[in-house]
Amino acid sequence: MYTRWLSSGDELPDRQLVGGKAWSLARMTSLGLPVPPAFVVTTDGFRHFHETGGVSATLRDEVLAGVARLEEESGRRFGSGPNPLLISVRSGAAISMPGMMDTVLNLGMTDEVEAALAAESGDDAFARDTHHRFLDLFTDVVLNRDPRDHPGDSPAAVRASVNRAVPDVGWDPESQLMASVEAVFRSWNSRRALRYRAHQGIPDDLGTAVTVQAMVFGNLGEDSGTGVLFSRNPLDGTNEVFGEYLRRAQGEDVVSGRVTPQRLSDLEDQDPELHSQLLQAARDLEHANREIQDVEFTVQGGRLFLLQSRTAKLAPEAALQTSIDMVAEGLLTKREALRRLSPGQAQSLVAPRLDANAPAGEPLATGESACAGVGTGTVVDDPDRAVALAAEGKRVVLARPTTSPEDLPGMLAATAVVTDEGGSTSHAAVVSRALGLPCIVGAGRGALADHVGTDVTVDAASGAVYAGTLPVFVPKEDDSPGLRTVIAWAREHSPIDVTPDADGLNDGDLVDLSELSGGSDPERVADLIAGLSGVTAICGGASASPDAVAAAIDAGVRRIVTDPVLPALLAAVQHGPATD
């Protein structure tokens, strides 16, 4: 079987088989939370797809059987009225890759379905809006065409325009579905997905599942909407639900950053009881998963539906604070807390900060902080230009109206990102937090348009951009009570000593890797250390990189001299057992 129904009666499925998105739906269903019915095409189906070179007859039959079950569960019909069923097709790997793969919404839409939807809802505008949303996403994701090249006052006009460029498009609901499943599977090997996995160290052979789910509509009316919330603040870790909500919209409007949403308090003003239900669901999910949750939800006609829950991408400050708090609350052991804080996040916590005494002047632009930190460089508004300048060794700040997955290479090349639109749950914000990249969102239309080519300083902690390159200072680990706490925990669990100085070592005990060939190359340092014999302590070069720390432990090295110490200590703990 290449598909699996997601129901409350089953044991939780294997995340590797169904992917994180489907696993979260099964988890939420098992907790009795409101989730639209869904099934998943598994990663075995992904491998079968690539082995056979397309959607085989076997896979097609299983997908159609799943749709029949959706019809049964929802009481609606796929592709026909009077109560039409529309569905979503979403990617979902075992390891979250936010925004890197494709999604198609409102599948099953035709002129007849639009008419039925309008009759059922009594809202012609809603039905037409939903039809155009389908055409835009299907044209973009499945047909790989820019929807702006195919405008039309009516869906028929849009289809006619597309057909002139791409003959033989299957517009019937079944063809829409199969083409969308194929597009999502193929998006695993898209340029942006390959680049993201390489940067995050995610294996290329993991594969993605495809979740097929009954649509619910946040764009139905004034008592409908969509939003994203975090069970705690993803910027600083404060133990308060943090989120955004947009009335009469679908999830893509919020996640894409095309529209700046309202605070979650807007939903509280509109419907206090539903708002309380949502917050309780977030708390339940956090407790059940023992992690900060990023929850996507939709309100349709005053009824709450949860569409996804996953481990939140946290800014380094939030990762530190929540690690400490969750140990104090008994949700995590110290070792578990140390394993959720990455060496890269620890490094970011002692990254340069803007000197508060520096004469910064009036900011060029201000917006909402999405990931704290300071980045300096030349403003560029094109991601390819950012990549090219970075390859020349220049520091760049990427300024965009908003970001999409296609902007990822430019984001990876930049020291900071500034967007005109979007909120703290937009694509730019989520990806920047995953990368530990300073980011400001919602700075206003054309915020840095007049400053392209000039040098600026982005202080993402305050949400301000200043002209020129301002002085910064480098904080010390000992200055932070939180870092001192986590360092103390890490020393308890680390199998190797990590110190900022060489006190107590004898002459000849310490090997400086920077003086050896390959010692400063993160890709070669592990092999170098493995070949050393009888070495007591190492320093310099790439000695604090995770691979070097692991190799040093395996080679019997007893001490690493480096400053800051926490990144190497975390790498040492994470090289050991996952539990006490």
Side-chain angles (χ1 to χ4, degrees), residues 383 386-387 398 403-404 407-417 427-429 431-432 435 437 439:
V387 172
L398 181 63
T403 67
S404 72
D407 293 316
L408 180 67
M411 297 176 74
L412 291 171
T415 63
V417 173
H427 173 271
V431 173
S432 292
L435 300 175
L437 179 67
C439 179

Side-chain angles (χ1 to χ4, degrees), residues 1 17 25 43 53 94 111 139 174 181 197 213 216 222 233 243 261 287 330 350 388 399 422 444 458 511 572:
M1 288 288 291
L17 182 66
L25 294 177
T43 51
D111 290 341
T139 301
E174 182 178 327
V181 170
R197 289 200 298 275
Q213 188 172 32
V216 287
E222 289 304 315
N233 190 312
H287 194 267
V350 290
V458 177
V511 174

Side-chain angles (χ1 to χ4, degrees), residues 31 33 229-232 239-241 275-291 293 295 331:
L31 294 173
L33 297 172
L229 70 81
F230 297 87
S231 56
R232 306 191 192 197
N239 191 0
E240 296 176 346
V241 171
H275 178 264
S276 296
Q277 182 188 357
L278 176 62
L279 266 55
Q280 185 60 52
R283 286 191 287 270
D284 291 346
L285 285 165
E286 179 182 292
H287 194 267
N289 295 319
R290 301 167 68 228
E291 254 303 353
Q293 295 296 294
V295 182
L331 287 175

